[in-house]
Amino acid sequence: MKQKSSSTPKFIVVTGGVISGLGKGIAAASIARLLSSKLKIVPIKCDGYLNTDPGTMNPIEHGEVFVLDDGGEVDMDFGHYERFIGCTAKFEWNLTMGKVFKRILEKERHGDYLGSTVQFIPHVTNEIKSMFHTIVEKEKADLALIEIGGTVGDLENQFYIEAVRQLKNEVGRDNILFIHLTYVPIPSGVNEQKTKPTQMSVKALNELGIEPDIIIGRCQEYLTQKIKEKISLYCNIDTDEVISGPDTNCVYEIPLIFENEGLVASLHKKLSIYSPPYLKEWRELVERIKKNISEPSRQTTIAICGKYTALEDSYASIIEALTHCGAQLDIKVNLKWVDTDEIEKGTVGPAEALEGIGGVIVPGGFGVRGVEGKITAIRYCRENNIPFLGICYGMQLAVVEYARNKCGIKEAHTAEAEADGKKVKNAVIDLLPEQKKIKDKGATMRLGGHDVIIKKGTLAHRILKADTVRRRFRHRYEVNPQYIQTLEKGGIIFSGCAGDKRIMQIMELEGHPYFVGCQFHPELTSRLEVPDPFFLHLVKNSLTPEKKGN
Ligand code: GLN
């Protein structure tokens, strides 16, 4: 990120209207990206729920839990922020009502409010504003981009809205800008863009004391000039402050669309800032992705074998990492979702489930449901030379599979299965020693960025081209140190370990086109301009020789 300039910090607040799921996080990340060449930007996300963080939430309901370098478990929008701005975000930047209330209750017990009745206003709103100011000061930011979760009108986000309304009076009209992202439907049968939901949602925002400066209309298509004029008339803003947010098959195109729509010029003018977008390489990569979606010259299919396949949002960063590889290699990467429950139940066999697949990912996961199905899929990849990348649980289960079928440890398993009442005789994967005493579930895993020492002369060393890399972790279990020698004798190469050499962090196999497992989550640090090397090699190896070309 950039060096801070000396002027007063600016604030951009992004709210959402009408319905959820419009891609507010991507819109916010795109705006930040457009302004980040000369300004130090800090993205802040405000979530309304009472959990301290999403770490204990089911990814099917909430989407992927994104893990930061500092160990924070945060909303998946931070994945967009980091990928679009290239920043390393911090746990503090994700406000939740759980965090806000926890601080207030602690202060109350400590006696910080002695004499006062502690109230929603001003105490909750003051706490929220003070959290904003602390972040901006600590980061020496030029601009804070505050995204308020949910849609305007939701009760649980009302205090954030009230806090930013008050913030406007404190920092002055010239230093804060409100962007409202709404929905412009095209009802079937009518076949024209409709502005009424936008009008209603802007009205709801006005009632809360906020007048948006810019409205982004999410729609299947570009907003027509007529519709922009109508929104301008009803919502009290200039026509060129109504921006189209059309559907796109490539989220990385959004900053380019916003720029074309004149958003940057409006932001510069309204906030008296100047930070021209830098999008040259980005634009070329986006053009490649789009070309490959419509007319690919080469393509491959990667299977993701997991439990949460019902909701693609639970694997958001994996999908992005594969998109990055496709852009870099100039190919189309198709995805196939394989539900390992089905393989476990025997409804489909691995050969059928993985037919025509170029490579397989077994992603992170928890619990024992579908585990035997994953192990069957891993065995099939190992025995049939299908390129394989096991991530976290995927690596642990690759070790279990190898122990059972190549090292003669027939009853090898992960101790995680014991939680389900199974008796595990040979726990080749066991709890990390420091995890044994822990009872609480929230933020108690081994979390965040750690160094991985790479063994020279291994595939990992050739791919990563470094003796040490930093990657992000989220786990309770590890390869049981008591079995390492036996596993190595049986043929597993542990090519990456923790600094103290105790925790095995990468495994690989010789004599296979590509069989790699990692205890960390490489998808979290993959970028459009710099795809993660483990993903890149999986995708490269998934191309059959004639498709590989040069
Ligand atoms: N359940 C495994 C563990 O806790 C793997 C976790 C993961 O895949 N993120 O170690």
Side-chain angles (χ1 to χ4, degrees), residues 436-448:
K436 293 198 168 138
K437 303 172 285 297
I438 296 175
K439 293 273 176 300
D440 284 353
K441 289 277 184 275
T444 53
M445 286 187 246
R446 178 173 182 256
L447 286 166

Side-chain angles (χ1 to χ4, degrees), residues 364-366 391-393 396 416 474-477 519 521:
F366 295 87
I391 299 172
C392 202
Y393 211 15
Q396 296 172 355
E416 194 162 348
R474 184 175 191 246
H475 64 125
R476 285 200 170 83
Y477 295 83
Q519 189 57 79
H521 290 268

Side-chain angles (χ1 to χ4, degrees), residues 472-490:
R472 297 188 192 171
F473 293 78
R474 184 175 191 246
H475 64 125
R476 285 200 170 83
Y477 295 83
E478 63 164 341
V479 178
N480 185 343
Q482 289 174 10
Y483 285 93
I484 290 175
Q485 259 194 350
T486 318
L487 294 166
E488 282 180 333
K489 243 191 235 148

Side-chain angles (χ1 to χ4, degrees), residues 150-166:
T151 29
V152 169
D154 294 349
L155 200 55
E156 62 170 19
N157 294 308
Q158 215 91 312
F159 293 110
Y160 292 125
I161 306 250
E162 172 59 13
V164 293
R165 186 195 66 77
Q166 295 173 10

Side-chain angles (χ1 to χ4, degrees), residues 339-406:
D339 186 348
T340 45
D341 254 357
E342 301 297 323
I343 300 185
E344 184 162 323
K345 281 187 259 157
T347 345
V348 290
E352 190 190 336
L354 301 178
E355 203 196 325
I357 291 299
V360 167
I361 293 175
V362 174
F366 295 87
V368 283
R369 188 162 66 78
V371 153
E372 292 304 327
K374 287 183 192 174
I375 293 173
T376 308
I378 295 168
R379 179 176 190 172
Y380 188 82
C381 291
R382 181 177 58 75
E383 291 180 342
N384 293 281
N385 289 330
I386 298 175
F388 166 81
L389 177 61
I391 299 172
C392 202
Y393 211 15
M395 160 177 162
Q396 296 172 355
L397 297 176
V399 170
V400 170
E401 187 281 315
Y402 202 84
R404 284 184 191 174
N405 301 313
K406 294 291 281 183

